[in-house]
């Protein structure tokens, strides 16, 4: 299967009954308190007394993230050399769901103040969201050790979420117990303990945790639902209905309300024996991964599928999904590791082996390791080369046997498949593999027909292959729909080059006049471009 076919097949496989046990909504982020968000007086004497910083924390703790962002932006303008405004901005961007910007902003803040107390806490959250298991765990541990003498329940909670996604439920519960001890009001810590105990098939411990959560909040929806489910699978039907009807009577828009309705119907129809009674860890993480992918939480889905694959490394379908999702998000090292595990467990499946070699060829090509790429593409050819991918790649691979410096920076991590695939296309194009690039951009546009960069990259690739008419057609359509997009200057430059190659001087001049009006200094450089060699005498270039 191709990457998209493999993933599409996977998300189409699901179990309604298992979904009643497991609804994989990502846990909400926790805004850090002052112990984490701001320097202590030993390092920055006035930060925790600064009224502007305190105002940002107050707004954020009340969920007013947009307003807090306005304050942070002003602070950054006033204090450009300070890391705290930048790091607070990264935390706010994370809360607003702008994860890629949060990651980039945090990297900038880390460059200014690498020892800021919020750095590792933010990394714990962001790397978990990205599905980077080791970095999330390490950051969580450092954040807790960094604040070991302070009350930081949120740090223990974030660590517990990372551990739970990694299948380390007993250890996660110890972190949650610490969080619950430090904060005696939040029911979430106890609810998560109950879910982890459910995972461990310790129903008594799960029930006790959910009941303690209800002591903190008698209307805690998630705990009510899980108590209903827990009693249903133990055939304590009256108790189950009591909790479920209490929840259903709330009539809120929470998804657990509809699940409660379904469970009540199953109880009334005598169908509770159909409900899953035990958690099988590998299946649990596989199902969570699928649900998170469907919810658009691709990094978290990647995290969970890594756990499922680790728990059952010989399960070929799970390893295939891991390869597909890791490749889709352009995680080259993880993809390579997953393929190696897959190959070690393939018996007589030459097609899957050939596809694995194709993927290894791509990984090495994307890194600039052309000699290794050629070897793997040739291995795929020997096994039949499904979809002629290796043949196409070999026809475009740079002819020399020397490696080319890699163009993918280690800090380039993607949250969205379309963005990762677009970057994959750019890398193929960078190495002169234009057919492969065009195929990838086509995948991006099937995912998101309005993806501007994929359209512009498609036009640029057609120009590089001498298909000037096709490039012009794409660019003119974009001009009509997006006349002021952020890359419009480069857009007009490329159009001018296309028209120059076609010999259409009036249209070339029209686009160069736009360039002259907006950034005339680059005409000096453009005059030297081979595309304009027949037009250097024009007044425009003088």
């Amino acid at each position: 299967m191709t990457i998209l076919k493999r993933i599409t097949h996977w998300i189409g496989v699901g179990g309604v009954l298992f979904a009643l046990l497991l609804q994989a909504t990502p846990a909400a982020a926790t805004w850090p308190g002052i112990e984490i968000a701001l320097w202590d007086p030993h390092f920055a004497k006035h930060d925790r007394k600064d009224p502007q910083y305190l105002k940002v924390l107050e707004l954020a703790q009340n969920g007013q993230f947009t307003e807090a962002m306005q304050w942070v932006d002003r602070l950054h303008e006033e204090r450009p050399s300070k890391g705290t405004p930048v790091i607070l901005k990264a935390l706010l961007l994370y809360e607003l769901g702008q994860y890629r910007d949060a990651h980039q902003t945090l990297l900038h803040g880390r460059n200014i103040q690498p020892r800021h107390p919020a750095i590792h806490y933010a990394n714990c959250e962001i790397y978990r969201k990205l599905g980077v298991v080791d970095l999330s765990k390490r950051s969580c541990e450092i954040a807790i050790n960094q604040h070991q003498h302070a009350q930081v329940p949120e740090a223990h909670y974030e660590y517990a979420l990372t551990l739970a996604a990694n299948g380390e439920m007993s250890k996660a519960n110890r972190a949650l117990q610490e969080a619950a001890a430090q904060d005696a009001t939040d029911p979430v810590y106890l609810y998560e303990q109950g879910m982890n105990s459910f995972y461990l098939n310790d129903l008594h411990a799960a029930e006790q945790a959910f009941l303690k959560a209800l002591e903190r909040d008698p209307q805690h929806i998630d705990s009510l639902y899980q108590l209903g489910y827990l009693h249903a699978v133990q055939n304590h039907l009256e108790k189950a209905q009591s909790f479920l009807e209490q929840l259903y009577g709330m009539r809120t828009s929470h998804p657990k309300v509809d699940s409660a309705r379904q469970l009540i119907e199953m109880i009334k129809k005598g169908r509770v024996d159909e409900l899953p009674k035990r958690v099988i860890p590998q299946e649990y993480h596989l199902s969570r991964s699928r649900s998170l992918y469907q919810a658009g939480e691709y990094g978290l889905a990647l995290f969970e599928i890594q756990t499922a694959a680790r728990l059952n490394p010989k399960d070929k379908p799970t390893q295939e999904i891991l390869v597909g999702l890791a490749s889709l998000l352009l995680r080259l090292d993880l993809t390579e590791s997953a393929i190696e595990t897959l190959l070690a467990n393939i018996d007589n499946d030459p097609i899957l082996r050939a596809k694995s070699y194709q993927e290894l060829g791509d990984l090495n090509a994307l890194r600039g390791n052309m000699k290794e790429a050629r070897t793997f593409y040739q291995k795929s050819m020997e096994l039949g080369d499904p979809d002629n991918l290796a043949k196409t790649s070999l026809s475009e691979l740079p002819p020399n046997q020397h490696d080319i410096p890699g163009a993918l920076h280690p800090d380039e991590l993607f949250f969205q498949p379309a963005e990762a695939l677009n970057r994959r296309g750019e890398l193929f194009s960078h190495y002169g593999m234009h057919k492969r690039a065009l195929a990838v951009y086509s995948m991006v546009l099937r995912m998101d027909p309005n993806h501007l960069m994929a359209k512009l990259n498609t036009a640029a690739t057609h120009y590089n292959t001498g298909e000037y008419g096709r490039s012009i057609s794409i660019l003119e359509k974009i001009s009509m729909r997006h006349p002021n997009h952020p890359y419009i200057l480069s857009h007009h430059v490329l159009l001018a080059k296309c028209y120059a190659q076609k010999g259409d001087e009036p249209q070339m001049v029209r686009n160069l006049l736009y360039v002259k009006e907006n950034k005339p200094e680059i005409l000096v450089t453009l005059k030297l471009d081979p595309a304009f060699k027949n037009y250097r005498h024009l007044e425009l270039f003088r």
Side-chain angles (χ1 to χ4, degrees):
M1 296 182 188
T2 63
I3 293 171
L4 282 181
K5 285 181 181 176
R6 185 187 286 121
I7 297 295
T8 302
H9 173 74
W10 165 55
I11 63 173
V13 178
V16 174
L17 295 177
F18 196 72
L20 293 176
L21 164 63
L22 166 70
Q23 294 188 346
T25 50
T30 44
W31 180 262
I34 196 169
E35 295 285 350
I36 291 174
L38 299 177
W39 287 103
D40 69 37
H42 179 72
F43 293 101
K45 189 173 183 180
H46 302 294
D47 273 17
R48 293 187 182 179
K49 296 179 181 178
D50 188 311
Q52 295 190 76
Y53 283 152
L54 295 176
K55 182 65 177 179
V56 171
L57 297 193
E58 178 191 346
L59 290 168
Q61 285 161 351
N62 291 327
Q64 297 172 272
F65 303 120
T66 303
E67 294 87 341
M69 184 70 78
Q70 294 169 358
W71 279 78
V72 163
D73 286 337
R74 286 198 297 270
L75 281 166
H76 182 50
E77 287 179 13
E78 295 168 5
R79 312 171 189 184
S81 63
K82 297 290 186 181
T84 295
V86 180
I87 292 162
L88 289 175
K89 181 171 184 173
L91 290 165
L92 289 167
L93 287 166
Y94 183 88
E95 296 283 356
L96 291 166
Q98 298 175 38
Y99 304 122
R100 186 178 182 184
D101 290 341
H103 181 232
Q104 294 301 317
T105 304
L106 188 64
L107 291 175
H108 175 50
R110 189 176 69 189
N111 289 335
I112 299 173
Q113 287 182 325
R115 298 183 63 190
H116 193 281
I119 288 285
H120 295 294
Y121 177 85
N123 276 334
C124 170
E125 291 185 316
I126 290 173
Y127 283 123
R128 183 176 66 248
K129 185 71 73 170
L130 279 162
V132 184
V133 178
D134 291 342
L135 290 181
S136 180
K137 280 187 67 176
R138 190 186 315 153
S139 299
C140 295
E141 290 164 357
I142 294 172
I144 288 171
N145 290 332
Q146 196 174 18
H147 304 285
Q148 58 182 311
H149 301 300
Q151 297 290 304
V152 286
E154 62 274 31
H156 293 281
Y157 176 63
E158 293 296 336
Y159 185 33
L161 294 181
T162 292
L163 290 168
N166 206 40
E168 300 177 74
M169 299 303 179
S170 297
K171 197 172 180 180
N173 271 356
R174 289 196 290 274
L176 289 165
Q177 286 168 6
E178 185 63 35
Q182 292 187 14
D183 180 352
T185 61
D186 197 329
V188 171
Y189 307 140
L190 296 163
Y191 164 74
E192 293 291 350
Q193 281 186 61
M195 291 301 292
N196 294 344
S197 296
F198 215 133
Y199 173 100
L200 295 168
N201 295 304
D202 186 344
L203 299 190
H204 176 72
E207 180 182 11
Q208 293 306 306
F210 295 140
L211 289 171
K212 287 179 182 177
L214 288 179
E215 289 175 7
R216 293 187 174 189
D217 178 4
Q219 292 189 318
H220 191 254
I221 288 175
D222 291 315
S223 294
L224 286 169
Y225 175 80
Q226 292 304 148
L227 281 165
Y229 187 98
L230 182 150
H231 285 295
V233 297
Q234 295 179 97
N235 215 33
H236 305 157
L237 302 185
E238 288 187 12
K239 275 190 173 183
Q241 279 194 260
S242 173
F243 287 114
L244 293 169
E245 286 173 357
Q246 182 182 342
L247 168 56
Y248 188 61
M250 293 180 185
R251 305 288 181 180
T252 71
S253 59
H254 195 288
K256 289 282 175 70
V257 173
D258 188 60
S259 296
R261 177 190 61 77
Q262 294 179 59
L263 267 183
I264 291 168
E265 288 180 6
M266 291 187 74
I267 291 170
K268 289 179 177 178
K269 293 177 180 179
R271 293 176 53 210
V272 292
D273 287 343
E274 299 174 25
L275 295 169
K277 295 176 176 59
R278 292 184 62 80
V279 172
I280 300 170
Q282 188 258 350
E283 292 182 6
Y284 172 94
H285 292 286
L286 182 63
S287 183
R288 275 190 65 85
S289 182
R290 182 188 301 117
S291 298
L292 288 163
Y293 185 93
Q294 291 171 325
E297 295 284 353
Y298 304 108
L300 291 176
L302 179 62
F303 199 135
E304 295 282 353
I305 199 65
Q306 288 176 78
T307 304
R310 191 189 73 247
L311 291 172
N312 192 356
K314 293 186 178 181
D315 184 67
K316 188 168 70 173
T318 301
Q319 292 295 338
E320 284 189 79
I321 294 163
L322 174 55
V323 170
L325 190 49
S327 179
L328 190 66
L329 291 173
L330 204 60
R331 307 298 170 79
L332 303 188
D333 291 345
L334 177 58
T335 307
E336 183 176 43
S337 174
I339 291 173
E340 288 171 354
T341 302
L342 184 61
L343 286 170
N345 292 285
I346 294 175
D347 296 321
N348 296 317
D349 193 337
I351 293 177
L352 183 55
R353 190 171 288 275
K355 289 181 177 180
S356 298
Y357 288 139
Q358 288 174 347
E359 189 69 40
L360 286 171
D362 282 358
L363 293 179
N364 281 284
L366 293 169
R367 290 167 171 155
N369 301 335
M370 298 305 166
K371 186 175 180 179
E372 290 86 347
R374 189 179 302 279
T375 299
F376 284 117
Y377 288 138
Q378 287 169 342
K379 284 185 176 183
S380 180
M381 291 280 287
E382 291 167 6
L383 292 170
D385 188 22
D387 303 318
N388 294 316
L389 199 67
K391 182 180 178 180
T392 301
S393 302
L394 285 168
S395 71
E396 296 191 299
L397 211 62
N400 62 64
Q401 292 293 314
H402 302 292
D403 290 345
I404 301 170
L408 186 67
H409 193 277
D411 283 333
E412 277 191 86
L413 295 169
F414 299 92
F415 291 88
Q416 296 296 325
E419 298 305 319
L421 282 171
N422 181 66
R423 185 68 177 116
R424 187 187 192 97
E426 290 174 346
L427 291 169
F428 276 134
S429 189
H430 173 77
Y431 296 123
M433 301 173 71
H434 300 303
K435 291 178 186 175
R436 294 298 311 280
L438 287 171
V440 173
Y441 296 141
S442 177
M443 290 172 66
V444 176
L445 292 170
R446 286 200 298 275
M447 282 184 168
D448 179 3
N450 297 314
H451 198 286
L452 178 62
M453 280 308 303
K455 291 180 180 180
L456 292 171
N457 283 333
T458 301
T461 304
H462 281 307
Y463 175 84
N464 289 330
T465 57
E467 299 173 285
Y468 307 121
R470 297 188 73 172
S471 185
I472 288 169
S473 176
I474 294 167
L475 292 169
E476 292 292 11
K477 285 178 183 176
I478 296 172
S479 292
M480 292 175 63
R481 295 175 185 171
H482 308 283
N484 298 305
H485 68 75
Y487 314 102
I488 194 65
L489 189 69
S490 298
H491 181 147
H492 280 285
V493 169
L494 183 55
L495 261 177
K497 292 172 68 172
C498 288
Y499 281 120
Q501 297 284 16
K502 294 276 285 183
D504 190 336
E505 183 176 327
Q507 291 295 338
M508 178 201 73
V509 169
R510 175 178 67 85
N511 283 281
L512 287 176
L513 285 173
Y514 180 92
V515 175
K516 183 177 182 179
E517 290 169 5
N518 289 276
K519 200 167 184 181
E521 61 270 22
I522 68 171
L523 287 172
V524 177
T525 304
L526 289 178
K527 181 179 179 179
L528 304 176
D529 192 301
F532 301 115
K533 65 180 180 180
N534 295 327
Y535 302 99
R536 289 169 183 162
H537 63 280
L538 295 178
E539 182 67 28
L540 191 66
F541 285 120
R542 293 178 187 170

